[in-house]
Amino acid sequence: MKRLEHIFVVLNGWALVLMLSAMAVTVGTNISLRYLTSHSLPWADEAARYLMIWLTFTSAGLILRTGGHVAITNLQDSLPKTGQKLLRAGIVIILLVFFAFMVHVGWEYAERMQYQVTPALRLPFIYVYAAMPVGFALLIVHLLLVARPFITAGGYKRLDASGTDSNVFPGGANG
């Protein structure tokens, strides 16, 4: 199971690297063409915008698994250990329900937009709006993979120097 999780995380990371690289190459090429030839690619800004949308939604799961999203822990810190675990379990359940709801809403919205096309690329908007359900589905998978250490000890997953997952706990107590 750990190997599948590692492959999943690596593939998610490489997808982000490829999208960011494509965005950088597209924007860089467009800037170079604009200054060297006084002409630009009519689709470059649109492609970069849609790649940014996909990057935003598909990177949220990797950020979630490392504890990178904003968290206010005052209530949790004031509770006894059992209360902390119950609160974190409740947070996981609420997040799972919310993420599932957003997959549903995102898919419905993407389906409604499937007959409209983008102005420059002429792509059906379903490909742009599919970033939302895909991103929230990735959030569900990442949350399920880190839920146990988060609930039991408040830990997050981190990639260590060797590229393997390790648990990191607040306050520096690694386990």
Side-chain angles (χ1 to χ4, degrees):
M1 183 66 178
K2 285 200 179 277
R3 180 157 169 76
L4 287 175
E5 180 179 356
H6 179 71
I7 291 169
F8 172 69
V9 170
V10 168
L11 288 175
N12 193 175
W14 272 106
L16 298 175
V17 167
L18 291 174
M19 284 186 274
L20 184 60
S21 299
M23 191 171 74
V25 167
T26 301
V27 171
T29 301
N30 198 37
I31 290 169
S32 299
L33 285 173
R34 191 176 302 142
Y35 284 105
L36 296 174
T37 67
S38 297
H39 297 287
S40 62
L41 302 170
W43 50 266
D45 294 336
E46 189 175 288
R49 183 180 319 117
Y50 299 149
L51 284 167
M52 180 63 78
I53 291 168
W54 271 89
L55 274 166
T56 300
F57 280 106
T58 56
S59 65
L62 286 176
I63 295 167
L64 175 87
R65 77 182 290 115
T66 60
H69 291 288
V70 174
I72 301 171
T73 61
N74 293 355
L75 174 62
Q76 174 187 297
D77 296 342
S78 67
L79 295 173
K81 294 291 181 194
T82 304
Q84 289 180 7
K85 289 179 183 180
L86 290 172
L87 178 64
R88 288 191 297 262
I91 289 169
V92 167
I93 290 168
I94 290 168
L95 286 175
L96 284 172
V97 169
F98 175 71
F99 294 163
F101 174 74
M102 293 307 291
V103 167
H104 174 72
V105 169
W107 185 250
E108 282 185 346
Y109 193 71
E111 281 184 324
R112 273 188 263 144
M113 302 303 289
Q114 69 182 328
Y115 300 111
Q116 293 184 11
V117 293
T118 62
L121 293 171
R122 308 304 294 168
L123 286 172
F125 266 110
I126 192 170
Y127 296 120
V128 177
Y129 289 108
M132 185 175 168
V134 169
F136 278 103
L138 288 172
L139 273 163
I140 290 170
V141 174
H142 283 290
L143 181 58
L144 290 173
L145 290 171
V146 299
R148 174 179 249 161
F150 174 71
I151 292 169
T152 57
Y156 298 94
K157 296 275 188 163
R158 299 248 194 248
L159 290 178
D160 62 18
S162 67
T164 59
D165 278 338
S166 62
N167 291 333
V168 175
F169 301 96
N174 292 343

